[in-house]
Amino acid sequence: AVRERFGTLVNNALITQPCQPLLGAQDAMTYLQGRQDSAVGVATGGWSHTARAKLGAAGFETEHWTLASSDDHPERTAIMQSCAARLPNPNAQTVYFGDGIWDLNACAELKWAFVGIGTRLKGIAPVWIEDYASCELDQILAAALKK
């Protein structure tokens, strides 16, 4: 009942206050999804129905996205592993983009490459970008994989 009620509240809020994507995020997703050597997945600590609602309100079409959430597991690293396991090549190197210290810590635990994004991780993440428009994604991916 809580999950359903929360989803209703989020959907109602999104009618008047849609989410805004990070600068360049839509182009970055299109670019990454178009690369032959990569697959894209989304892992979130929230519920899948509210994550998809927020992403949809921000202009993303998520119907065919691989998305793992707290619906899959309560632990962050297990959610991330669940997402990676559903991708076409689950054993490929993973580069994770995240905006919280919890993302950085989870990636360290999983030994995944990490790119910090946004102000919270500036000066903390070894590879950091302000937003997707402020960088060259190929260079960022290469830098993250070297760390």
Side-chain angles (χ1 to χ4, degrees):
V2 170
R3 183 182 185 281
E4 271 187 48
R5 178 70 176 139
F6 185 72
T8 299
L9 292 171
V10 167
N11 284 326
N12 289 342
L14 291 172
I15 292 168
T16 58
Q17 300 171 332
C19 297
Q20 296 298 314
L22 287 174
L23 195 58
Q26 291 167 326
D27 290 339
M29 287 300 283
T30 300
Y31 172 74
L32 292 170
Q33 289 172 319
R35 286 176 55 137
Q36 295 297 315
D37 65 343
S38 67
V40 178
V42 175
T44 177
W47 285 309
S48 62
H49 68 301
T50 55
R52 287 189 190 276
K54 291 187 271 183
L55 287 163
F60 294 98
E61 175 52 56
T62 66
E63 182 180 345
H64 301 291
W65 285 16
T66 299
L67 187 139
S69 70
S70 63
D71 292 323
D72 301 298
H73 201 280
E75 271 185 39
R76 181 167 304 278
T77 53
I79 294 167
M80 294 162 65
Q81 289 173 314
S82 174
C83 185
R86 294 183 213 164
L87 294 172
N89 185 357
N91 298 317
Q93 283 186 301
T94 300
V95 179
Y96 189 95
F97 288 75
D99 66 351
I101 194 73
W102 49 87
D103 296 315
L104 177 65
N105 293 338
C107 285
E109 185 177 329
L110 294 171
K111 298 184 179 15
W112 287 3
F114 180 74
V115 176
I117 186 162
T119 57
R120 284 189 284 198
L121 293 176
K122 186 176 184 178
I124 298 171
V127 178
W128 175 84
I129 59 176
E130 184 173 345
D131 55 49
Y132 294 97
S134 66
C135 68
E136 168 56 49
L137 275 179
D138 289 332
Q139 292 174 355
I140 293 301
L141 293 170
L145 290 169
K146 287 181 185 177
K147 297 286 178 185

